[in-house]
Every structure is written in C-alpha cells, then in structure tokens.
C-alpha cells in the first residue's frame, strides 16, 4: 500500500512542472526544421511564429466574409493515397468547414518528396501563385499537424498564413455547420468523389475472427521491438468463472529489467540505446476480472512510461497503453497507444477505470522501443 501511495505522489510531482534546466517536452520541435516530429495529438502552443492565430469567432467572421482560404490537414485513418490513381483509401467520412480544401497528411514532421510536391503545388493552385493570399490551416483541437502545415507555408514564403488551433472541434462547439469534405487527389489535384472513399481492399483486411475467443489456463507476455524480436516480460494466470469470464493474476518481471530511481521513485526499466521503457504498476485496487469482450483490467496491468536516454527523470505524460485485441490463433495482440498517465496521480472513483483512451493516439507507435505486445499460451 505504501508503494502505491509513493507512486501517486511521484506522479503528482512529475506532472507539476518541468525539471529545472529542461524545456517543456509538450512543445518540443525538431531544432533543425522547427517542426513537431511525433505525438501530433497533444497540446499545442498559443501561437504560430510568423503567422496569425485565430480563435473560432474570428475564423467564423472571416469565413462569412469569404476572406480566407481554409485548408484542412486532418490525417485520416486508412492506407493513404492509392499508388495507381492517387485516390485516398480512407474508411471514415470527414466533417469539415464548408468550402474548405482537404489536404491530408501534409502536417507530418517528415514528408516524402511526393508529399512535399503535393502540398506545394496545391498551395500554388489555391492562391493563384500569389504568396500574399490569406490562407488558414486547421485540423482538430490539440493537433500539431495543423501547426506544422502553417509553419511550412510560412517557411515557403507565404505571408498571410492563419492558424486555427481548435479546428473543427471549436467550430462545432459554437454550433457552426460542418459538412462532409473530400480529400484532394494526391496525383491530379482533383476533388475526390465520395464513392472513392473505401475501406482497405479485401486482400489487405484483417481476417475476421469467426471462432469464439477463450481464455487459456495461463499465458506468457511478450513485448515486440521494432525489428519484431520478442522479449518475455511476465505471465498471466486465468481462473475461469464461466464460458467468457475469468479472474486474472498478472506478474511482470524479467531479468532484462534494470532497476532505476527516477523522479523520487524506483522503476523497473528496459533500456535501449535511445529510449527506456519503464513499467508502471497500476497504483489502485482492481477487480482482476476480465471477459472475452472486456479486457481493461488486464490492460491496466501492462502500463509503461517511455523516456529518452537524454532526459532527466521520468514524465507520465509519455504514457504507453497496450490495447488488446483477440487474434485468430487465440492470442491477444496489444496495440500501442500513447497518452498522458498523469490521471493516475489522483485516486479514481471506486470500481472505475480513469484512463480515457479517447485522449490517446496510435500515431508514431513504430517509433517506440516496443511498438506492440502479445499474450499467448
């Protein structure tokens, strides 16, 4: 119990302020390009250097006066542009500002040469090659891709760049209309027709799980690194209480863990050349029960915090959550999500699960030391 109290205290202290002598990593950008390179779904700065920051009321007023070209850079799920015809292979509809132009993915920290060309030629087309044309970039709230896109346009010489930090979220909060918008074709810059929006081709979809999943008596837990190499870190014992319900007992331990003392608390860490993965035991009481459709209590016992080797201390902002899904072979695959675990600094309501996965992101999972996890007998 004392250990759990110390963990909550450590998380509180870590979340209170940056360590002296360190910058606030929430706003870190690449020192060479000046762009955000990862964790795009995170709090953004208050302004954009060299540009004009708009609140929603200002943006609506300029939209009503037709004084801005609105450019949506929202990054959709899916397979990206079709390599044959440039149509975007995306499964979900995007609701955006009426009259806006959607240029997906141009706000990433690193762009391919083809993506740079796509972005540049569409800016030329939309502004009639007049760099002083007023343009506005947006996405959703807490979206660094809109900040990056605006920064790129400024760096390329556009002198009337506006940025709407709250994006379509702020637009919707004020009751303004959003409409379905189609992405601009990656090759010919035409407006994509709604019929072209599609799921991944059948040959590329994940095989449906037809068999009813079932818990084994026991299973081993493996982290999987960027090269696909597995590292066993523990085990879970299942005590079945019915056809689809089970108690669980989880042990996370490995001789690969290195004891570290970080931010006033001991951690067990897996140390890589540029990044550490430190295990974060959930500090509050759990029921230790799961069903075949509800695996949260198992997921809560597989929490980590990553830290760069160069950083001092540890920051729960860099939380790692593995979201588990059944696989056709009966194993459980963990998809890495990144987000803020500072919520664990305060005790939750009894029998509740305080981590809000809606605030976690799957982007850049492959850049982490262990992008996935698997549990199998």
């Amino acid at each position: 119990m004392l250990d759990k109290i110390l963990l909550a205290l450590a998380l509180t202290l870590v979340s209170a302020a940056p360590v002296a002598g360190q910058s606030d990593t929430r706003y870190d950008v690449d020192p060479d390009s000046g762009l955000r390179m990862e964790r795009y779904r995170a709090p953004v700065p208050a302004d954009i250097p060299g540009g004009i920051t708009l609140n929603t009321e200002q943006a609506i007023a300029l939209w009503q006066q037709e004084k801005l070209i609105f450019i949506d850079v929202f990054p959709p799920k899916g397979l990206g542009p079709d390599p044959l015809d440039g149509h975007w292979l995306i499964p979900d509809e995007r609701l955006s500002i009426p009259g806006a132009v959607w240029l997906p993915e141009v706000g990433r920290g690193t762009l391919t040469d083809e993506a740079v060309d796509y972005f540049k030629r569409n800016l030329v087309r939309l502004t009639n090659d007049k760099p002083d044309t007023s343009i506005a970039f947006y996405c959703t709230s807490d979206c660094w891709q809109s900040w990056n896109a605006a920064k790129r346009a400024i760096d390329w010489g556009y002198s009337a760049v506006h940025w709407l930090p709250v994006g379509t979220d702020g637009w919707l909060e004020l009751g303004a209309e959003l409409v379905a918008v189609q992405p601009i074709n990656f090759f010919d810059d035409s407006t994509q027709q709604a019929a072209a929006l599609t799921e991944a081709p059948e040959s590329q979809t994940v095989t449906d799980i037809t068999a009813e999943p079932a818990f084994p008596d026991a299973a081993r837990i493996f982290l999987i690194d960027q090269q696909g190499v597995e590292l066993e870190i523990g085990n879970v014992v299942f005590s079945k209480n019915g056809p689809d319900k089970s108690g669980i007992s989880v042990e996370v331990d490995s001789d690969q863990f290195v004891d570290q003392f970080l931010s006033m608390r001991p951690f067990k860490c897996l140390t890589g050349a540029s990044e550490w993965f430190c295990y974060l035991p959930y500090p509050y009481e759990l029921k230790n029960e799961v069903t075949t459709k509800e695996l949260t209590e198992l997921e809560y016992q597989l929490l980590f915090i990553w830290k760069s080797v160069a950083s001092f201390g540890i920051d729960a902002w860099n939380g790692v959550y593995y979201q588990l899904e059944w696989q056709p072979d009966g194993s459980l695959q963990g998809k890495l999500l990144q987000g803020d675990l500072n919520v664990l600094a305060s005790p939750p309501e009894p029998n509740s699960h305080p981590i809000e996965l809606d605030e976690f992101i799957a982007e850049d999972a492959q850049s982490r030391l262990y992008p996935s996890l698997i549990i199998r007998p």
Side-chain angles (χ1 to χ4, degrees):
M1 183 63 182
L2 177 60
D3 190 55
K4 293 182 177 180
I5 294 173
L6 288 174
L7 172 59
L9 175 61
L11 287 171
T12 302
L13 292 171
V14 166
S15 64
V19 177
Q22 279 191 297
S23 63
D24 188 342
T25 57
R26 289 160 178 76
Y27 304 119
D28 274 358
V29 296
D30 178 69
D32 296 324
S33 66
L35 299 171
R36 178 79 163 194
M37 305 304 289
E38 61 180 2
R39 296 290 302 277
Y40 301 114
R41 184 70 171 178
V44 293
D47 52 30
I48 179 77
I52 301 169
T53 303
L54 300 174
N55 60 35
T56 306
E57 292 85 351
Q58 292 168 329
I60 290 175
L62 291 170
W63 174 80
Q64 290 172 336
Q65 299 168 33
E66 299 183 355
K67 290 187 175 181
L68 276 179
I69 297 172
F70 284 84
I71 301 175
D72 190 346
V73 299
F74 178 77
K77 297 177 182 178
L79 298 177
D82 189 311
L84 297 179
D85 62 14
H87 281 83
W88 291 85
L89 301 171
I90 55 178
D92 300 325
E93 182 180 61
R94 168 65 173 159
L95 297 179
S96 192
I97 296 171
V101 175
W102 186 14
L103 300 178
E105 301 287 6
V106 298
R108 290 194 175 275
T110 301
L111 296 181
T112 64
D113 291 342
E114 293 79 9
V116 170
D117 182 62
Y118 170 70
F119 192 14
K120 281 187 172 181
R121 70 173 185 263
N122 274 286
L123 287 180
V124 169
R125 177 178 64 86
L126 293 169
T127 63
N128 290 319
D129 202 14
K130 296 178 180 178
D132 60 349
T133 302
S134 294
I135 51 179
F137 293 94
Y138 68 94
C139 175
T140 59
S141 62
D142 293 336
C143 176
W144 275 89
Q145 290 217 26
S146 63
W147 192 93
N148 276 356
K151 175 71 165 56
R152 272 201 178 93
I154 292 167
D155 290 346
W156 291 340
Y158 289 87
S159 59
V161 173
H162 298 67
W163 175 53
L164 179 57
V166 294
T168 48
D169 292 336
W171 199 268
L172 191 61
E173 284 178 5
L174 287 188
E177 180 188 19
L178 294 177
V179 298
V181 63
Q182 308 304 332
I184 298 299
N185 187 284
F186 195 69
F187 293 160
D188 64 19
D189 305 332
S190 62
T191 301
Q192 185 163 310
Q193 298 300 311
L197 295 176
T198 179
E199 297 280 0
E202 184 177 351
S203 61
Q204 299 182 28
T205 58
V206 178
T207 303
D208 291 335
I209 301 173
T210 55
E212 186 69 23
F215 293 112
D217 293 330
R220 297 185 293 169
I221 306 168
F222 300 85
L223 290 174
I224 305 174
D225 70 13
Q226 295 175 357
Q227 286 73 46
V229 177
E230 297 181 355
L231 172 66
E232 186 171 355
I233 62 163
N235 62 81
V236 54
V237 175
F238 295 94
S239 52
K240 285 171 272 191
N241 302 327
D244 63 351
K245 187 176 181 180
S246 178
I248 55 171
S249 176
V250 179
E251 180 182 14
V252 175
D253 196 14
S254 168
D255 57 9
Q256 297 298 310
F257 281 111
V258 177
D259 292 331
Q260 302 286 348
F261 195 78
L262 304 167
S263 300
M264 300 180 60
R265 186 185 184 276
F267 283 88
K268 296 190 299 184
C269 299
L270 300 167
T271 56
S274 60
E275 184 173 287
W276 292 2
F277 251 48
C278 299
Y279 178 58
L280 178 65
Y282 185 72
Y284 307 109
E285 185 176 357
L286 291 169
K287 291 183 178 180
N288 286 313
E289 290 183 348
V290 292
T291 70
T292 53
K293 296 182 179 179
E294 177 53 69
L295 300 165
T296 302
E297 299 248 327
L298 178 53
E299 293 168 343
Y300 269 46
Q301 298 183 59
L302 300 171
L303 302 175
F304 288 81
I305 300 175
W306 69 268
K307 69 177 290 292
S308 67
V309 172
S311 64
F312 180 80
I314 197 166
D315 190 344
W317 171 263
N318 297 321
V320 170
Y321 187 105
Y322 289 102
Q323 190 171 39
L324 298 173
E325 293 183 354
W326 288 101
Q327 301 302 300
D329 63 359
S331 64
L332 286 166
Q333 185 84 32
K335 179 178 70 173
L336 187 149
L337 303 176
Q338 302 185 81
D340 188 358
L341 289 176
N342 281 306
V343 66
L344 301 184
S346 300
E349 293 293 324
N351 301 319
S352 68
H353 297 129
I355 300 172
E356 296 288 346
L357 290 187
D358 288 346
E359 300 176 3
F360 279 60
I361 60 172
E363 285 184 274
D364 300 311
Q366 290 301 317
S367 67
R368 299 277 67 86
L369 185 61
Y370 294 101
S372 61
L373 171 149
I374 193 166
I375 301 174
R376 62 168 180 262

